[in-house]
Amino acid sequence: MDPESGVASAGSFIPLNEHEQRFYSGLHSLCQADTSGKLSSGKVAELFKASQLPPEALHRVTEVCGAKRLGYFGTPQFYVALKLLAAAQSGLPVHLESVTANLPLPRFAGLKNEPEMRYSTVPAGVDGAQGGAAPASVPWTPADRSAFRHLEASAEKKEPWSPPRSPSSSPPRSPLTYRSYTYSKQRNGADSQTAYESKHSSRPMVQLEQHSSPRNYGTKPSVEHPAMARASSSERLEQQGVDDYSDDDPWRITEEQLEYYTNQFKTLQPDLGALILGAIAKNFFTKSKLPIPELSHIWELSDVDRDGALTFSEFCTAFHLIVARKNGYPLPESLPPTLRPGYMQQEEDVPDTPESAEPLIVFEDAELRPGQMDRGVKERLQPSLAATKQDLKEEACKQDVAAMRVQTSQEKRTLQLGAFPERPEPPHDLDTQMRTKTRPRSYSSTSFEDAMKKAEEPPTPPPRPQKTHSRASSLDLNKLFQQGAPGVRSGWLPPPPALPPRPTASQEESSVKPDKQGPRSRFGRSTEDLTNASKQDVIGVSHSQAPQKPVRRKYHPDGQNLEAAPPPTVPFPTPAKSAQKLLSKQKREIQMAIRKNKETNAVLTRLNSELQQQLKVVHQERVTLESQVELLRPLAST
Amino acid sequence: MAVCIAVIAKENYPLYIRSVPTQNELKFHYTVHTSLDVVEEKISAVGKSLGDQRELYLGLLYPTEDYKVYGYVTNSKVKFVIVVDSSNTSLRDNEIRSMFRKLHNSFTDVMCNPFHNPGDQIQSKAFDGIVSGMMVQTG
């Protein structure tokens, strides 16, 4: 760092480099220091808000810089505060020591020349003006819409700043240059996606770019916001070298990332409400080439309901963690709050939580704020379980997803709905709509949607018949049956008739052992189906063919989709989207049928595996007994 | 508070074993190993119920002058062994049971992780955390 000028502040000398000097003095004059040298606190407050840091951080900054003590912002305090803001934005703790670090310029949304601030939270990144100054991306807080308006308001202030900006646009930091290089590469790829994603918010950020950098996955859905397309923005890079990240923004999933994850999820499992099996997820994530212990840790973090499979939100969490890890962020020890599914309180070790018997009831739950879902759902634990556990989990996941979406873009409701057009689940949209309209319970408005939901939402329970999960499933079933009738292992009840055995084909299939692969392959099938948009025939075929389907088919779509994705990045989503739109109605019906079949399948499969285990145990004991008898027989005979 | 916690696989090799480090760990390894015999004996003794609802918690396996050893076996014949210090205010049976329950739960979580191959050593931070929480907090 080259301190070319410094500001002596209350005894401590704060070195400022030339850019900072200019910037700070500009900001200083912006805040209209009056003759006594004090800065108008209103302006300062606005400025601070524009930095998009959380209020606690701002308070801390105020404290540390001494303004709190003095009661006003003098010039030195102001400069210190600016430094601290920069530090906070880079993720460093707000301390006086941080001030001496070589920091980028603090970023203030709304202060810079960000002509196209489409949506809020183009975090300070907005000021590409800062250009080279490494944006510390930290404050992506979506909640800070005020900054956005601020931007508009102070748009005119841009001009004076642009000139100073340009000289500073030469990124002095090597990591930055490196990143900008990576970035521009991605940007080029991403630009092609602009049309597709153009309606999405400007979270496109830097963050997105970097987070989607795992090239292994092929596609960067980096929604290159046109704002980003500006040259200045390309230099904007997250300062990744910062270790000290608060659990704040690197752990927040942006819109584009969500899109990307959604697409990836769909390649694995077309039904967004269903679960991804553990082994499938394992293969998928192993492609990321992270070491297994890390993947294991990520799994532990993201599988909050501990069922050995990933719901959509869990999948997003896991994916996000992987992306973050690939970009160099250390893995957190516990799940950051922003990554928790639905931003709810993390539900650990409550595998039964999402259970509930009837979709109708769950739907009511869906209207509860996610935080209330625990209570509401737990009340319904008792009733029949079998597949409903998974049903509800999925519904819960859907709710989670909806909640997450809601929370990630509070202001973008309509956009949200528009953003996921290819989701063949209008109830989702309704869900979101309703949720955004009426956060607390709103049972009144939902009779119609109830019916729709009920029809739509027997979510497909992912069959978890794999051997690696046999223990898990048996435990689940133990719990299930214990709730029904304790110690019922010997006296088996057939699964509760909540599942109407629909087409007999499914039952036949499920009775066959290899049908374990069936559901999975059916998923694979349906993945392909969706992409091919010729579902009906294929789905019909898949019904009857499921048992014979080799498991491998499931993974093919993965590979295919993943590899096919990069080249036709733009065409791929678009045709799929339009095709799916056309067939959405038909899809729904068929999917309903599929789901019911899958449910039945899953339950029977689990029964099967449980029985097999018991059989094994009984066999063993029988063998033991027989050997004992053998031993005793010669004695008895003599 | 436990002095040593061990998870033994069905084939009687350790999946996870952790002791309070200040003491001689080898001694605990040996203790756990010998306790396996007692565990086997207890398991086979319950054979008459034919695996119906076999009690998972085995209780006090054997006491020595220094410490007591408790055992717990899961349905898949994975054994948990906890060694507690005798001098410790004798922990009530319920407390030991709850410790085992917690162990079992986090063990299940580890098993659910698709990246964990059953039979491997348990290398899960979450599991480690739970175990540390149960160990004696020595200075």
Side-chain angles (χ1 to χ4, degrees), chain B residues 69-123:
Chain B
V69 183
Y70 293 88
Y72 180 100
V73 67
T74 70
N75 285 324
S76 47
K77 300 283 185 8
V78 173
K79 304 151 187 90
F80 298 119
V81 176
I82 293 186
V83 181
V84 299
D85 212 355
S86 285
S87 57
N88 222 341
T89 53
S90 58
L91 298 172
R92 293 207 314 277
D93 201 46
N94 276 339
E95 294 171 19
I96 308 274
R97 278 184 199 260
S98 70
M99 282 164 75
F100 276 124
R101 208 173 311 128
K102 273 198 294 188
L103 263 182
H104 195 172
N105 283 337
S106 34
F107 176 75
T108 314
D109 294 338
V110 170
M111 283 298 139
C112 277
N113 188 333
F115 296 104
H116 177 269
N117 301 315
D120 285 354
Q121 300 284 318
I122 295 180
Q123 283 156 342

Side-chain angles (χ1 to χ4, degrees), chain A residues 408-621:
Chain A
T408 49
S409 64
Q410 292 157 1
E411 257 94 327
K412 299 178 203 137
R413 297 167 195 176
T414 43
L415 262 187
Q416 280 288 348
L417 295 181
F420 302 105
E422 61 267 26
R423 293 261 192 86
E425 293 166 16
H428 248 293
D429 297 349
L430 289 170
D431 199 9
T432 319
Q433 257 173 354
M434 276 191 359
R435 227 179 258 229
T436 55
K437 273 192 285 201
T438 61
R439 295 273 178 92
R441 3 182 140 227
S442 61
Y443 300 95
S444 52
S445 60
T446 60
S447 48
F448 159 72
E449 285 108 350
D450 273 356
M452 275 212 57
K453 277 218 142 186
K454 207 155 67 150
E456 278 292 344
E457 284 199 8
T460 346
R464 297 188 261 129
Q466 299 172 8
K467 305 204 167 69
T468 52
H469 295 283
S470 60
R471 278 190 226 108
S473 53
S474 67
L475 276 177
D476 288 342
L477 284 173
N478 271 346
K479 280 199 194 115
L480 296 177
F481 287 106
Q482 275 166 12
Q483 287 176 359
V488 144
R489 287 246 299 247
S490 47
W492 251 86
L493 298 172
L499 305 172
R502 262 173 133 262
T504 50
S506 66
Q507 280 185 338
E508 290 159 4
E509 296 165 7
S510 51
S511 61
V512 177
K513 185 103 193 246
D515 76 346
K516 279 184 183 178
Q517 307 164 350
R520 260 186 279 136
S521 55
R522 230 178 294 161
F523 290 161
R525 266 306 204 170
S526 34
T527 310
E528 295 171 4
D529 295 345
L530 289 175
T531 52
N532 296 337
S534 62
K535 305 176 4 238
Q536 291 159 357
D537 324 328
V538 188
I539 288 177
V541 167
S542 73
H543 273 301
S544 49
Q545 278 188 10
Q548 274 64 36
K549 201 92 33 116
V551 178
R552 206 166 305 141
R553 287 216 60 135
K554 169 94 181 95
Y555 302 136
H556 273 205
D558 284 351
Q560 286 164 8
N561 286 348
L562 287 177
E563 281 139 25
T569 44
V570 176
F572 172 68
T574 336
K577 200 163 54 159
S578 49
Q580 287 167 359
K581 269 183 186 158
L582 295 174
L583 296 169
S584 58
K585 290 228 166 73
Q586 298 156 345
K587 255 196 233 176
R588 255 177 267 149
E589 293 156 358
I590 292 166
Q591 281 183 344
M592 264 167 52
I594 294 177
R595 280 186 203 134
K596 296 236 165 85
N597 292 343
K598 284 179 187 166
E599 285 164 32
T600 324
N601 204 0
V603 174
L604 292 171
T605 319
R606 279 160 70 184
L607 267 183
N608 196 5
S609 55
E610 179 68 337
L611 284 171
Q612 301 253 334
Q613 274 196 334
Q614 285 189 338
L615 187 62
K616 277 185 215 157
V617 174
V618 170
H619 268 306
Q620 282 177 358
E621 290 178 347

